[in-house]
Amino acid sequence: MKTIIITIMAFIFGIDDVSFKLFRRPLLIAPLIGWVLGNVQAGLVIGATLEIMWMGIGNVGAYMAPDLITGTIISTSLAIMSSTPHTSLSTMVATAVTLAVPTSILAQQLLVLIETVNCSLNGWAKHLADNGDVKGTVWLIYPPAILTGLARAVPTLIALEFGAGAIQQVIKSLPKFVIDGLSTSGSIIPAVGIALLMMSMIKKFELWMFLILGFILAAYLKLEVLPITLIAIVFAFLYEAATRKNMQPIAQASETVIKVDGEEEDTEGDYDL
Amino acid sequence: MEHKLKQKDLWTMFWRLNTMRITLNYETLQGVGFMRAIAPALAKIYPNEADLKDALKRHLVFYNSHVIGDAAILGLTAAMEESTPPDEKEGINALKTGLMGPLAGLGDSLVKFTWVPIVGSIGASLAFSGSIVGPILMFVLYNIVNIFGRYYALVYGYKAGIDFLNKNQKTNAIQRISTMANVVGLMVVGALIATVIKVSTPVKIAVHSNLTGKVGGNTIALQAMFDKIMPSVLSLLVTIVVYLILKKTNGKHAAMLIIIMMILTVFLKYFGIV
């Protein structure tokens, strides 16, 4: 019964991920899974771990990121379902982290497949446009929406139906250092997401300074992310104003050239000083 | 100028804007979604069927941006369709293509690179302490920007119409906000390196003591030494190494890198290094 509920959730969250995007992060999904499975605490901690692990991972441009939705649902469910009353929370987190990586990457391949299949929508849309059929366009989203939902629901159903027992055996037989190592890796892996963010944000060398500033405020002064954001807004204004001034002389120079023909040359000249 | 689209039409567009990404495909990316989203507006603007068909076909082209950028462009495009004379319609697509890049960049750096990590780390730190407030707070904060941002961008894009572009040309607003968002984002990322990535080592080094003359009598924890050099210095090092690897490979092998890091951590754990 719980498997069916989670499969339906996977279907809904799968469609939400490509439409309203209300629940598309691990921390928003995992506690709900935990709630269905009767272990909200595990859901919260697993969700927080995965949220941080996948920080910075998301689709940028045409790049398709690992499928966090399927990955979070399967890994959280299996980690909780394969636990016994004696299983510690850290073992559950380690299980979830270990499962989240391969499931997200495998599920990503399904999304790539759907994007390819969706190419056929262009023909349908063209047909509608040729006929000026505005009412008909409403249907364009239904087949791909169901497809996307199934791409999340079917792997979830299979994994939950056949995975829990096997996972339990594997976790039992693994030596302690493997479990510990895997759960430690959960707090090192965010380096990948953060590095990906850095790649798309550091466009100029001087921007490294802001990264260092943020790091110093957190590492030495132990400030939380929110106060650092507020400080960052101040620096952002200053930096933007400073770099904009560099461009102004050019703008003013060209303005002055135009103004030479007019009469207001003098007042502009004074303003320059 | 009298607007042809009423509040009800804007709601229809908003609804269709939200479901735009479902039709994502490799041929036109969000082209089908955009055509579908603007179709009801076009039906209102062009009562003549031939004009309507041309307009629909005009929007069935390659399109991709960030979701809040989509909203602004959708509103603006509707305003343009309404106001441009028949022989200048082709300019609309040029405008769309011109805006989708900068607005995607702006939306990504404001929402994906800044807001989501901020609310994510706030939510996660509460959730780690077992509080259900964590995910709820994240849900609310994230969706305020997510939903309202989209709605207001759509309405603003439509109402401001061509003024939006003229204003932007004068004040360069998109560029300026992007620069600011980039700075805020980078400072948040810098802070995340220190707070989110946790690398430490339990290794102790035996030091020679002059007093006892014995090796191994005293030990120094390596981590304490690192902390003296700089707190979270290992996190910073790991991040920079990963950054350099990703930069070298153009970010293509991120998934592979994650798996390698997991295996590596297990090995290091075995030897008691992490």
Side-chain angles (χ1 to χ4, degrees), chain B residues 127-148:
Chain B
F128 272 128
S129 58
S131 171
I132 190 79
V133 178
I136 294 173
L137 189 67
M138 181 185 176
F139 182 80
V140 172
L141 290 176
Y142 161 66
N143 280 309
I144 284 175
V145 171
N146 183 32
I147 296 292
F148 289 97

Side-chain angles (χ1 to χ4, degrees), chain A residues 15 18-20 138 140-142 144-145, chain B residues 12-24 30 32-34 36-37 67 150:
Chain A
I15 295 175
V18 288
S19 54
F20 289 87
V138 81
L140 276 169
I141 55 163
Y142 290 97
Chain B
T12 315
M13 279 166 79
F14 178 65
W15 186 257
R16 290 189 171 205
L17 164 78
N18 284 321
T19 48
M20 216 165 117
R21 224 153 248 266
I22 294 177
T23 59
L24 199 69
Q30 301 196 72
V32 175
F34 195 94
R36 182 179 175 276
V67 63
R150 248 180 278 166

Side-chain angles (χ1 to χ4, degrees), chain A residues 18-21 24 41 52 59 115 118 122 130 137-138 184 187 197 201 210 215 220 240, chain B residues 16 18 21 24-25 28 32 36 53 57 112-113 142 146 150 176 182 185 187 196 198 230 269:
Chain A
V18 288
S19 54
F20 289 87
K21 300 172 194 288
R24 64 187 325 218
Q41 281 303 311
I52 285 185
N59 301 338
E115 266 201 51
N118 278 356
N122 286 293
D130 285 339
T137 57
V138 81
T184 307
S187 50
L197 286 184
M201 292 172 103
F210 295 109
F215 177 80
Y220 284 99
E240 198 278 320
Chain B
R16 290 189 171 205
N18 284 321
R21 224 153 248 266
L24 199 69
N25 64 77
T28 55
V32 175
R36 182 179 175 276
K53 283 177 189 170
K57 272 186 254 177
K112 250 176 231 164
F113 303 161
Y142 161 66
N146 183 32
R150 248 180 278 166
R176 283 168 61 189
N182 207 20
M187 278 185 67
V196 159
K198 293 196 173 67
M230 184 195 260
K269 198 75 174 186

Side-chain angles (χ1 to χ4, degrees), chain A residues 24 69 72 74 83 99 127 133 171 178 182 190 222 234 251 273:
Chain A
R24 64 187 325 218
I69 311 292
T72 302
I74 293 180
S83 67
L99 290 172
H127 179 77
D133 186 359
I171 295 290
V178 175
L182 290 171
K222 310 283 177 219
V234 176
L273 298 169

